[in-house]
Amino acid sequence: MREPTAPAPAARPAPRTRRARLRAVAMAALTSGALVAGLTPATAAVTVTAPSPDVTARASTISAYDAVDPFIGTELDPKQNKGNSAYGNTWPGATTPFGMVQSSPTTYRSSDGDQKGGYEYSADKIRGFGMTRLSGTGCEGRFSAFDFPVLPYTGPLDGGALPTSPGTKIDPYYLDFDHRDETAAPGHYTVGLGNGVETELTATTRTAVNRYEFPARKDSSTLILDVAGSNNRVFDSEVRVEGRTVSGWVETASVCDEGGRYRAYFSSTFDRAFTSYGTWQGGAVTPGAATARGGEAKHGSGAYLVFPKGATVTARTGLSYVSVANAARNAEEETGGRTFDQVRKATAQTWKDALSTVKATGGTKSERVKFYTALYHSLLHPNVSDDVNGQYPGHDGKVRKVSAGRHHYVTYAGWDMYRGQAQLIALLFPKVGDDINQSLVDLVKQTGAWPNWPHLNQSQQKMSGDSLQVVLSSIDAFGSVDYDRKAALASMRKTQSLPADTTKRAHAQQYFSAGFIDNGKGDSATSKTLEYAIDDFAIAQLAGRLGEKATYDQFMTRAQNWQNLLDPETQRIRPRGRNGFDRSFNLGERGNQFEQATGYQYGWMVPQNVGTLIEKRGGIEPVTRDLDEHTRALDAGVYNTTGAYLSNQPSFSMPYVYNWLRQPHRTSEVLRRATDEMYGTTPSGLPGNDDLGSLSSWYVWANLGMNPTVYGTANLVLSSPMFDRIVIDSADSDRRITVKAEGAASDRPYVTGLKVNGRATTKSWLNEDFARAGGVLTYTMGEAPGAWGTGPADVPPSYTDGSDARNNIGSTPDGQGKLGSLDLSDNSLSREKLTAAGAAPGAKLPLGDTGITFTWPRTKEGQPDNWIPHGQRIDLGGKNGKGTKATGISFLGLATNGPSQGLATVEYVDGSAQNVAVQFTDWTPGTNYLYGNVPLVVTEGRNKVNGTSDTTRTVVFGTVPQVLDGKKRVKSVTLPQGTDRGIMHVFDVALTTNPNL
């Protein structure tokens, strides 16, 4: 059963009975310019009042559209302090799927002056109805958007002028409201304001259509257009009144106000003439003035429009990021000749079509409300940015034009989106996926780099990682391949390789060279390494699908860089620096080493190779104990906790680790707990920032009983579906996924059997072919767990390619120290000096009379030439694989910030094994050679990352041969899992048959 375990918070108040404003009109189809690919409206009746949740009724039949409650996620829970805001930061206004326009109220709380920057349910005033909004972002108070807010005003006019200038003080014009006078549904919002004005909002892709019904018994019927009223800083603004049209623009700061700025344009045409009008500029209000320019002042310019008392006024406001002319054309082509109600009904149908891509049967009313509201929130971003004529503002500042029949999409929360939202969009709207990927390719062409959080046409960096590479690769994996795939991969290969001049990754030169980031840098160094490894895995998977093996190999090697952070002593991922692992670090701490999370939370985030993670953390039993302990608290936050933080992104893949532990029933239990305990149907029903829909997308996947946990692939890790039947129909595609799970929504929550397309399987995952082509999943559900998914062969894949490859670039050409780094001070060996000392690529280096002969790695510039050990297995079995006779083994290498030592393991063909010591002196030792190390390559001078060199003497050593069992054949050697201090580097391993060892 999936009933709440604690009393549900009070639901929002039921709407008051008010006079009907919904007029029955004939349906008119929207023009193609008003739609996004894959979404086509058709005639249907519309119910616009959001439902009240009912947590007791089973098997509700409430429709997908009627189940959406846009108020969910609008209220902060002030009792929680988890690290990020404990609410969705969503909004209840009108928009279309992936629409350019988000027409919505923004609020103000008069008790403490708190504005939040969005719509906050605890507020008592509305500070305007704006045209744009970001859903669910952080950066409280700096959310950006809320461009061109409108305030209905019914007060007196002093000589035809507003009594005070909004440019001097705006809050006297804020509007009282009561939640009982609000309703919202997809594509429609209405509110009865305290001044008696009935306000309704609807929207097409690029146009806001607002209707204001003024009361007759008031001093005036006036609309105030606060052209410079955007949330963030304003750099300039302008407004013009001409006939029945008001137009203008504002230049304002992008999300989080960290440097980027954009310019938005509007053109608003009214269905009736003004009786008078005026503008303000700063503190001066000028009746009859037709223009104003605001400069850098917030609220610095705007217009006010006066209508006959008691008038009902409809405004059609086109938005553009190119020009006022384009904004006017957007409005005309999308809404010209249509009434407010016709537009509203068509938009409602567009949402019905979008939501019908997932048809879920069963569940209570509250479960359906939560699910379809989550699906709705998942489809709000990214956003169309091209106008009806195809023009859009490029990221290079130039006006560009999208190809016919396509859209250019903007605004991506990369760090958040890659963990499920990108894949959900690609599954449901494959053509949108095509266009998103082409938009990303165009973005990179225009900027020369991969930003990770671009807002509109502003290339911005937020959070860790180059996550848009994972977004593109994941969308590609789901079959959205109608874009320039080769250009995408070429840009990734170019920007994410040494010398790291065009990458946006922080500390990339060190990461590309050494395989991890020195914890001494702070700056979330440890989580950045984990994020970059996921990015590299996704690049490798795209390369593999395109048949580019060299690129695949390069990035799969880096996809295993997470292993450099797995401390074998504590069996935890932890910060590591030039002197070794920091075992004193409190893994419950956030900030310095882990982005918005703790080390306990990031310690599970190796989705590309969970199997090896489990092995290196001690195996199934101890890892199960660790994960059980971790999931005791599902939303513990980030302050000195060992628990999970499932309302924030680093924990998203964690519950699915149970599938690799052969306990998929535990995955299902954690997911059902999370959906019951953390999510609700009240305004505070989202437990964390929705981050442009990523949290809601996670919720959707949890309910579907599948998750694209291995980011960069289309593999689906399975859990218990939460509805009895689910049908997924991809828009503009014949792909259909049918999930049959009778009893899943009621008394049988456990999967005990599964047939895929009629064939029984015990595997707890689906390969990529299923996600791309579709199929039928028929579950047998039970009241208790069974044996399904518990066998060794049932677990999802772990991608181990690259695990054994050389992973450090320790030598560089003179003057090009950026092409590698041997130590974490970013020094490297000189390739020219190595050659002069006898260590040219492929050169033979004998170790005295031991019979050992090393081979210097035959690698090109910028390629890994040594191993930083983390348990890599090196094959020594010979060409025929039958093993090699040997009496001894030796290692060629050195230590940085050493000395350094560890144990390697020699495996014999017969299956037996022998531990051997590997011990190295520091590479700048003076004359103090330890462990009997023999200097084999001596050079004078190290290359530095800035292109210079020093005069330091460096030494590469051969170790004293370790005696082996000469009666056996050697199959392989496994390098140390870790070392005691410093960093060990192994350039080669060699055997000898010398009988005199």
Side-chain angles (χ1 to χ4, degrees), residues 295-592:
E296 294 185 353
K298 191 80 171 285
H299 314 292
S301 73
Y304 63 95
L305 314 172
V306 184
F307 299 91
K309 289 184 179 181
T312 296
V313 180
T314 298
R316 309 164 190 275
T317 308
L319 177 67
S320 171
Y321 294 100
V322 174
S323 67
V324 167
N326 277 14
R329 184 173 175 182
N330 288 344
E332 177 59 28
E333 292 200 16
E334 291 189 346
T335 67
R338 299 173 183 84
T339 67
F340 178 95
D341 295 292
Q342 288 173 322
V343 173
R344 177 184 58 79
K345 287 186 177 182
T347 300
Q349 188 58 49
T350 298
W351 272 112
K352 288 181 178 182
D353 292 342
L355 296 168
S356 71
T357 54
V358 183
K359 300 181 181 69
T361 304
T364 66
K365 187 176 183 180
S366 66
E367 288 163 353
R368 295 180 63 78
V369 167
K370 289 191 293 182
F371 177 77
Y372 279 109
T373 302
L375 181 58
Y376 165 80
H377 283 143
S378 300
L379 306 181
L380 298 179
H381 298 282
N383 306 104
V384 168
S385 71
D386 53 285
D387 296 322
V388 293
N389 64 3
Q391 291 183 330
Y392 69 92
H395 286 78
D396 54 1
K398 299 178 181 179
V399 175
R400 297 185 170 272
K401 192 168 185 177
V402 72
S403 299
R406 306 198 70 146
H407 291 293
H408 185 80
Y409 287 90
V410 295
T411 304
Y412 302 90
W415 187 78
D416 315 274
M417 183 184 185
Y418 84 80
R419 306 171 205 257
Q421 185 181 15
Q423 297 88 331
L424 184 64
I425 292 171
L427 176 64
L428 303 183
F429 301 100
K431 289 188 176 181
V432 175
D434 291 333
D435 286 355
I436 287 174
N437 274 5
Q438 187 59 52
S439 299
L440 294 177
V441 172
D442 293 340
L443 181 160
V444 177
K445 286 181 178 178
Q446 293 164 19
T447 64
W450 283 83
N452 64 5
W453 219 111
H455 174 209
L456 297 173
N457 66 333
Q458 299 301 301
S459 176
Q460 300 189 124
Q461 293 302 109
K462 291 174 179 57
M463 312 305 295
S464 299
D466 263 354
S467 304
L468 291 184
Q469 294 153 26
V470 193
V471 167
L472 183 144
S473 182
S474 297
I475 290 174
D476 181 279
F478 271 77
S480 291
V481 296
D482 184 13
Y483 70 101
D484 194 341
R485 302 172 80 197
K486 291 186 177 180
L489 182 61
S491 70
M492 294 177 189
R493 184 172 54 244
K494 178 181 178 181
T495 59
Q496 307 315 318
S497 298
L498 290 168
D501 289 337
T502 55
T503 183
K504 292 286 188 179
R505 301 187 192 183
H507 318 298
Q509 196 279 335
Q510 185 175 90
Y511 169 82
F512 292 164
S513 304
F516 65 100
I517 301 170
D518 179 7
N519 71 322
K521 293 183 179 293
D523 193 28
S524 304
T526 306
S527 65
K528 277 185 168 66
T529 298
L530 298 174
E531 294 281 356
Y532 293 163
I534 292 173
D535 301 338
D536 291 336
F537 173 77
I539 295 171
Q541 294 307 299
L542 179 62
R545 292 191 290 270
L546 291 175
E548 296 199 18
K549 187 177 186 305
T551 302
Y552 173 85
D553 290 342
Q554 173 189 352
F555 285 93
M556 277 305 297
T557 296
R558 291 200 338 217
Q560 307 300 342
N561 280 344
W562 67 271
Q563 297 191 54
N564 290 324
L565 301 181
L566 198 293
D567 175 18
E569 182 174 307
T570 62
Q571 297 182 323
R572 292 289 188 276
I573 287 173
R574 64 171 53 254
R576 184 181 184 184
R578 59 196 65 190
N579 296 311
F581 290 98
D582 183 359
R583 296 183 179 119
S584 66
F585 182 83
N586 174 16
L587 290 177
E589 175 186 319
R590 77 163 287 184
N592 180 270

Side-chain angles (χ1 to χ4, degrees), residues 106 296 336 360 478 544 660 663 723 798 822 926 944 957:
T106 295
E296 294 185 353
F478 271 77
W660 279 269
Q663 301 172 71
F723 291 96
S798 296
L822 186 69
K944 307 183 87 59
F957 300 95

Side-chain angles (χ1 to χ4, degrees), residues 103 129 149-152 193 197-201 209-214 223 270 307 310-315 317 340:
S103 182
F129 301 98
V150 177
L151 291 129
L193 299 169
V197 178
E198 300 281 350
T199 298
E200 287 188 84
L201 313 178
V209 183
N210 296 3
R211 184 162 62 193
Y212 307 95
E213 186 175 342
F214 287 92
L223 290 176
F270 296 82
F307 299 91
T312 296
V313 180
T314 298
T317 308
F340 178 95

